[in-house]
Amino acid sequence: MLTLADIFAARAAIAPVATGTPLVPSPYLSEVSGQPFLLKLENMQPIGAFKLRGALNAVSRLPGGSAGVTCCSTGNHGRGVAFAARERGIRAVICMSNLVPQAKIDGIRALGAEVRIVGQSQDDAQAEVDRLVAREGLAEISPFDDAHVIAGQGTIGLEMLEARPDLTTLLVPLSGGGLAGGIALAAKAIRPDIRVVGISMDRGPAMYRSIRAGHPVEVDEVQSLADSLGGGIGADNRFSLALCRDLLDQTILVSEEEIYRAMQILYWEDRIVAEGACVVGIAALLAGKLTLTGPTAAVITGRNCDMALFTRVVTGQSVDLDGYVVEGRAYAR
Ligand SMILES: *Cc1c(COP(=O)(O)O)cnc(C)c1O
């Protein structure tokens, strides 16, 4: 079982490459929520997303002489694994479905990793990973269901509470649950009364449904403004489901329209370029789905968005997500 000691060990393993992102106040969101509201800027990581933490920690634990690593990914984990593999001088093969935006694929290739685009879902990409493990002896690094990855993501929780010991609520985007599970583990070990809330998009929220069902549930993968939150949690989930079930105080769903509006707010009010996945906590707050009781921090998880799509959102144009249209609306307070 993972403990706080694993998270401190992860911090030592990944420093100084992937630690120490700023936790900055958002004047506008503080005003709207009536509480000090802070943003943990993981978009400032060298790969533009927090996933570097878990990937670096996992790669650092591989035995010497490893043939290389492989993973499936919605884009950012692959980029983290590619970065970590390059640092260590080993081969990386990243498997993704064709729902992954081109910007993310390009970022991974630029780090020298091999990219395989397979099928329509994370499950299709996973089949290729299984093949690479069996045939080519590559080590698999799960994007969320790996103890070293979870410990790496948990270092975010340590940093937030060190910077602001008075935080009462953490808002964490929720997909496979490695991020929320790791942060909740760290934060609650230090401050048992802190509230950790996981937020997902309402189109294909695998962890949200799995927690309620009590076992891993399969979801349809569809295009979303929060593309980094797509995909299942794995039929034989070992760690992240139990962690999220036991440690998250609340899980909330938000719509594409709510994500659209929150992306505009983060951009126009805080001047931050971030993926739709990052703003789900802000979206929940603005939609009235969340009550805050004290200083709150939201994890801004990454910036690796398709810039053409991002530009449409912040300039108030309509967005077509493979047939699901989010009506355009110019930003106004
Ligand atoms: C992976 C990812 C998440 C969700 O992390 P999980 O550990 O899968 O829950 C959130 N935001 C971004 C930008 C991501 O890349």
Side-chain angles (χ1 to χ4, degrees):
M1 213 44 232
L2 272 167
T3 67
L4 186 60
D6 296 309
I7 296 172
F8 276 106
R11 173 146 79 175
I14 70 176
V17 181
T19 45
T21 55
L23 180 67
V24 300
S26 167
Y28 178 72
L29 292 170
S30 300
E31 185 192 315
V32 169
S33 66
Q35 303 292 347
F37 197 100
L38 297 110
L39 306 170
K40 176 67 169 165
L41 299 184
E42 288 296 302
N43 53 318
M44 294 180 72
Q45 291 286 2
I47 64 151
F50 76 87
K51 291 235 173 50
L52 186 55
R53 295 178 186 256
L56 277 171
N57 192 41
V59 168
S60 80
R61 310 288 157 154
L62 291 173
S66 287
V69 285
T70 185
C71 65
C72 66
S73 173
T74 52
N76 286 328
H77 175 65
R79 198 156 170 166
V81 168
F83 185 103
R86 190 185 62 172
E87 292 253 303
R88 187 142 171 199
I90 58 175
R91 180 178 174 214
V93 185
I94 313 301
C95 304
M96 295 176 284
S97 81
N98 59 24
L99 288 176
V100 173
Q102 188 65 36
K104 287 184 166 142
I105 296 170
D106 295 343
I108 292 168
R109 287 218 172 97
L111 289 166
E114 291 165 53
V115 170
R116 307 236 169 127
I117 304 297
V118 221
Q120 295 283 347
S121 69
Q122 288 290 298
D123 287 346
D124 293 341
Q126 182 63 45
E128 178 68 5
V129 169
D130 295 343
R131 205 190 61 81
L132 286 161
V133 170
R135 299 244 184 101
E136 303 192 27
L138 299 184
E140 177 183 358
I141 301 180
S142 161
F144 52 81
D145 202 29
D146 174 299
H148 299 312
V149 168
I150 295 170
Q153 324 303 31
T155 60
I156 299 169
L158 292 184
E159 282 175 31
M160 286 195 287
L161 279 175
E162 283 170 0
R164 285 290 299 245
D166 60 337
L167 287 172
T168 61
T169 304
L170 306 180
L171 305 181
V172 188
L174 177 64
S175 177
L179 176 68
I183 288 179
L185 186 72
K188 296 203 169 197
I190 298 168
R191 280 268 315 280
D193 61 335
I194 199 162
R195 182 161 70 121
V196 183
V197 182
I199 311 100
S200 307
M201 79 279 200
D202 61 12
R203 302 173 79 224
M207 184 59 84
Y208 179 94
R209 291 205 191 129
S210 300
I211 289 172
R212 281 160 182 75
H215 56 81
V217 170
E218 273 190 46
V219 291
D220 286 338
E221 271 180 66
V222 294
Q223 265 191 34
S224 168
L225 288 172
D227 56 89
S228 285
L229 302 185
I233 67 164
D236 47 3
N237 188 290
R238 289 182 300 159
F239 303 106
S240 65
L241 174 56
L243 273 176
C244 290
R245 180 196 62 208
D246 294 348
L247 297 180
L248 295 185
D249 298 280
Q250 194 180 353
T251 48
I252 300 176
L253 298 182
V254 292
S255 67
E256 299 294 331
E257 288 73 17
E258 288 160 354
I259 295 170
Y260 180 100
R261 164 96 182 146
M263 286 173 77
Q264 291 185 329
I265 286 180
L266 195 65
Y267 180 74
W268 290 108
E269 301 294 346
D270 295 289
R271 301 289 198 263
I272 293 174
V273 174
E275 297 180 33
C278 306
V279 299
V280 288
I282 296 167
L285 173 71
L286 294 161
K289 296 176 177 175
L290 187 64
T291 313
L292 301 182
T293 52
T296 299
V299 185
I300 305 303
T301 45
R303 62 162 189 246
N304 297 324
C305 27
D306 175 308
M307 285 310 285
L309 179 69
F310 181 82
T311 304
R312 290 189 70 83
V313 172
V314 297
T315 57
Q317 299 173 69
S318 299
V319 169
D320 185 344
L321 301 164
D322 199 21
Y324 183 96
V325 176
V326 183
E327 291 301 331
R329 194 167 156 201
Y331 179 64
R333 272 197 179 184

